[in-house]
Amino acid sequence: MSRQRQPGTGFRPTHVVPPDGMPARETPDPGRPTVPLDALLPVELVERLGDWGHVRCANGWAAWVDGRLLVAVPRDPPAGDGPPAGTDDPRPLLARAEQALAGYRSALEELADGALDGRSFEDRTEGLRIGIVVDGESVWVYDHEEGRWMYGEGRRLAPYATDRPPAHRGPGHADTGAEDAGHERGGREDGGHAATRMAAPKGEL
């Protein structure tokens, strides 16, 4: 397993894991598998070696992954110098995440106690998605209802990254082909989650 990040080093996500999750390796070697990474997990890309990417998680755990599959997010969080009107209060979203986590823990305890079998545990947790990363005053929270990550530094949240396809931009929008390429790499046509995308600033389509 890769070494832990030294204390005192700030965690600043640069990418998220694809919607299907991804395998991880102890070294840049396909023959050294380790714990796979969960879908849409924020990670920090700290090194590239060919197609391999060395990533770190919020808890300091590190691994090697196929760097081509990582989904980039903005280098810096949304600017906080705009008016707070229309932005989200983080408390309701955090409360929903706490409730979802409590539900998962309850099902997990019943599974451990033998009150649930494996199939019932899967049924109880099907579709459940929870994501919270806290680094000092900064927080990233996954909004399952909207299919997006939110970022905040206190009293408000702003969209950070989304796993929904972009809205139609109209005939005046120049097509660079990047969006189609994104669909080819990470899009899903089986009813699953779409590839994570950077969220457009509020007011833009």
Side-chain angles (χ1 to χ4, degrees):
M1 182 179 296
S2 297
R3 292 190 301 175
Q4 297 279 324
R5 170 171 49 87
Q6 294 298 318
T9 325
F11 172 71
R12 306 300 290 182
T14 58
H15 296 74
V16 294
V17 173
D20 291 330
M22 67 189 313
R25 316 292 180 190
E26 293 183 1
T27 63
D29 180 351
R32 298 292 302 277
T34 184
V35 180
L37 299 181
D38 293 334
L40 300 178
L41 178 72
V43 296
E44 180 181 6
L45 180 62
V46 296
E47 183 181 355
R48 289 297 297 261
L49 183 62
D51 291 335
W52 290 98
H54 193 212
V55 298
R56 284 179 175 147
C57 304
N59 64 358
W61 187 82
W64 289 87
V65 300
D66 187 340
R68 299 169 299 178
L69 303 180
L70 293 171
V71 183
V73 295
R75 180 63 183 174
D76 296 314
D81 54 358
T87 56
D88 296 325
D89 184 334
R91 291 171 294 182
L93 184 55
L94 287 171
R96 293 201 300 271
E98 290 173 2
Q99 292 172 358
L101 183 59
Y104 180 84
R105 180 175 180 176
S106 176
L108 188 62
E109 290 177 347
E110 291 183 35
L111 177 67
D113 294 339
L116 283 180
D117 58 24
R119 179 60 181 175
S120 298
F121 179 74
E122 290 180 6
D123 292 340
R124 282 271 296 272
T125 58
E126 184 178 4
L128 184 63
R129 310 191 88 190
I130 309 168
I132 301 178
V133 175
V134 178
D135 180 27
E137 66 178 5
S138 302
V139 61
W140 292 261
V141 188
Y142 184 69
D143 186 345
H144 177 68
E145 294 180 357
E146 297 294 333
R148 64 185 180 181
W149 280 92
M150 303 291 288
Y151 172 83
E153 291 182 337
R155 290 190 293 264
R156 66 189 187 94
L157 293 174
Y160 189 48
T162 178
D163 59 8
R164 292 187 175 180
H168 178 63
R169 296 176 182 262
H173 172 60
D175 184 4
T176 62
E179 294 174 6
D180 291 338
H183 278 297
E184 292 174 3
R185 290 193 304 269
R188 295 282 301 276
E189 296 181 357
D190 57 359
H193 294 277
T196 302
R197 298 174 179 274
M198 293 188 299
K202 188 164 289 187
E204 294 186 9
L205 295 177

